[in-house]
Amino acid sequence: MGMDVNEAGKMQKIAENFRSVSVFQYNKDIELEVISRTDVKSVDVIESLIMQEKIQISDMYLLEAVAFYGHADLQTVMTRLRYLKQIYPHKFILTNPDSVSRRMQYLAKYGLIWRRKYSRGTDANIHIYTSTYRGFKLYCDKLEKGFHYDGAYLAQNVTKVFRNVHVGEVACIFFNKIQNADAVVEEWRHNDYFIKVDKERFYPTGYIRCRHGEDIWNFIFEAMHYNVDERIETEAERTAKIKEKLEELILIKDSFSARYENTAFVFCVEEIKGVKKLWQMLSEYSGDFNGNVYITSERVLKQTGGNFEMSVIKPVIDGDAYSLKAADKEKEWFF
């Protein structure tokens, strides 16, 4: 069964959107930076800043927002801060991007977060903020948070940073859509969140758990990037990692299904070629990824103003064939 004219037109438009805003062009001109302990200022310096009141209580929420993602750009941090402001309307939480940017630079100066500059695709430079152990510990103490972050001293290459930021931005857009659909968000985590399945822990890049009516929905976000930096991994290695991740996600899906919960996967790709490669790979697992997968990119979502119907592709079984279709807002409650 082929596509009707309207469906084919939608798919062509989505493909054009992907081609015009492809992202994450890895090349040898991008410097790979290694995080070291020398970036972290001493305890004495931090305590002195606190005593001089040069670190404000509003800074604690900036540190929390960065730690929430592990790696984040300014826009992603702003999404988290606006969400915190909704929860704590009487708290002094900055929500002006210029003010946040200035404070982030200040916190980076004293080693409470890392601030790194990268070139992303055809865009101008983008600043990525990364949580440090010292900054994370400071806000935990101030806000009486108790969970631990142990990845502060690992070398983070640009590919991993971009994948995390890419997924974070897509998750933010979905988060807003889900809230607008009158769903109650119960959990929303990135990076340090794990799902336990048969005594094993799996770490999806992004995760939203919500309740819509009487149904529980689990949205799992993953970067399915096929462009590679050959200094880090080959195309074959990247493909093998994606297959390994898909097999993990099947275990998670089966675990949720056993509890009568719904699972939706949102896969973030760089460009239309990635859509086709992912579709071919998913067809090998069509019994597990049928009707519960959405493929998109934050650049496409932003270009269309968050119009899911013009930004999101859904692989489905159509008769005996595994095909790609534009997502239908009439059939998706969170649209």
Side-chain angles (χ1 to χ4, degrees):
M1 184 184 297
M3 293 185 188
D4 61 29
V5 175
N6 290 336
E7 181 71 24
K10 284 183 183 179
M11 285 297 295
Q12 182 178 359
K13 179 61 177 175
I14 294 174
E16 290 172 358
N17 289 339
F18 268 96
R19 290 190 183 97
S20 64
V21 293
S22 61
V23 297
F24 305 131
Q25 302 301 314
Y26 303 126
N27 56 62
K28 294 181 180 179
D29 296 331
I30 296 178
E31 181 181 354
L32 303 183
E33 299 185 33
V34 177
I35 297 171
S36 68
R37 291 176 183 269
T38 57
D39 291 309
V40 182
K41 300 298 186 274
S42 70
V43 177
D44 292 339
V45 172
I46 303 302
E47 290 181 348
S48 174
L49 291 171
I50 294 174
M51 293 297 293
Q52 297 172 47
E53 297 185 348
K54 291 186 177 180
I55 293 181
Q56 307 163 6
I57 190 64
S58 60
D59 293 335
M60 299 303 107
Y61 294 99
L62 303 186
L63 295 174
E64 179 177 6
V66 176
F68 181 84
Y69 298 104
H71 310 281
D73 64 352
L74 180 61
Q75 180 171 340
T76 310
V77 168
M78 290 304 307
T79 299
R80 179 65 179 170
L81 291 173
R82 293 186 184 110
Y83 173 67
L84 292 173
K85 187 65 175 179
Q86 290 178 358
I87 299 176
Y88 310 112
H90 303 300
K91 300 288 186 181
F92 183 43
I93 300 175
L94 296 176
T95 54
N96 178 275
D98 292 336
S99 299
V100 171
S101 179
R102 285 193 295 270
R103 291 308 298 173
M104 298 277 273
Q105 291 182 47
Y106 181 84
L107 295 173
K109 176 182 176 181
Y110 290 102
L112 296 175
I113 54 177
W114 285 295
R115 180 173 179 263
R116 291 173 287 171
K117 183 170 68 175
Y118 291 122
S119 173
R120 183 174 76 168
T122 57
D123 276 3
N125 292 325
I126 178 174
H127 287 102
I128 303 293
Y129 301 96
T130 301
S131 177
T132 69
Y133 176 77
R134 188 71 67 200
F136 191 87
K137 183 72 165 57
L138 177 63
Y139 103 75
C140 284
D141 292 344
K142 279 284 184 182
L143 299 180
E144 297 179 348
K145 304 284 184 179
F147 54 95
H148 180 62
Y149 180 79
D150 59 3
Y153 300 127
L154 298 178
Q156 301 289 356
N157 59 64
V158 66
T159 56
K160 181 176 180 180
V161 171
F162 280 165
R163 285 169 193 154
N164 287 345
V165 172
H166 189 201
V167 170
E169 291 182 341
V170 171
C172 287
I173 296 170
F174 269 75
F175 175 83
N176 291 331
K177 282 280 188 179
I178 289 169
Q179 280 201 314
N180 292 337
D182 296 326
V184 178
V185 176
E186 298 180 345
E187 295 182 49
W188 180 34
R189 299 299 301 168
H190 294 269
N191 294 327
D192 60 344
Y193 188 87
F194 69 85
I195 296 174
K196 194 171 182 180
V197 178
D198 296 330
K199 297 182 179 180
E200 289 191 61
R201 291 182 177 184
F202 297 101
Y203 294 80
T205 308
Y207 176 64
I208 296 176
R209 179 184 178 85
C210 65
R211 189 179 297 274
H212 181 252
E214 297 181 354
D215 296 325
I216 295 175
W217 280 82
N218 301 278
F219 290 83
I220 296 176
F221 299 81
E222 290 290 352
M224 296 295 175
H225 289 190
Y226 287 88
N227 290 344
V228 297
D229 187 324
E230 293 181 352
R231 294 168 295 176
I232 299 170
E233 59 187 346
T234 64
E235 185 175 349
E237 289 172 334
R238 175 103 288 269
T239 301
K241 289 178 182 177
I242 290 176
K243 285 189 174 181
E244 182 179 351
K245 177 59 69 174
L246 290 175
E247 289 168 2
E248 287 183 0
L249 295 179
I250 290 172
L251 294 177
I252 295 173
K253 175 189 69 69
D254 291 343
S255 175
F256 286 149
S257 298
R259 301 202 299 262
Y260 302 99
E261 298 180 5
N262 302 288
T263 309
F265 299 101
V266 183
F267 294 144
C268 308
V269 299
E270 311 106 309
E271 54 192 0
I272 195 65
K273 292 179 182 178
V275 174
K276 294 176 180 177
K277 288 183 179 179
L278 180 57
W279 167 51
Q280 293 171 349
M281 191 175 294
L282 288 174
S283 64
E284 301 174 20
Y285 305 91
S286 57
D288 294 287
F289 297 109
N290 177 34
N292 61 347
V293 171
Y294 305 88
I295 305 174
T296 188
S297 166
E298 53 93 8
R299 297 282 286 282
V300 178
L301 284 167
K302 289 175 182 176
Q303 174 169 287
T304 62
N307 183 342
F308 277 28
E309 206 172 10
M310 285 290 101
S311 313
V312 180
I313 297 172
K314 187 173 182 179
V316 295
I317 294 179
D318 188 1
D320 296 327
Y322 195 60
S323 62
L324 292 171
K325 292 191 173 184
D328 187 350
K329 67 179 180 181
E330 300 299 328
K331 298 178 180 178
E332 315 294 344
W333 63 264
F334 51 89
F335 271 34

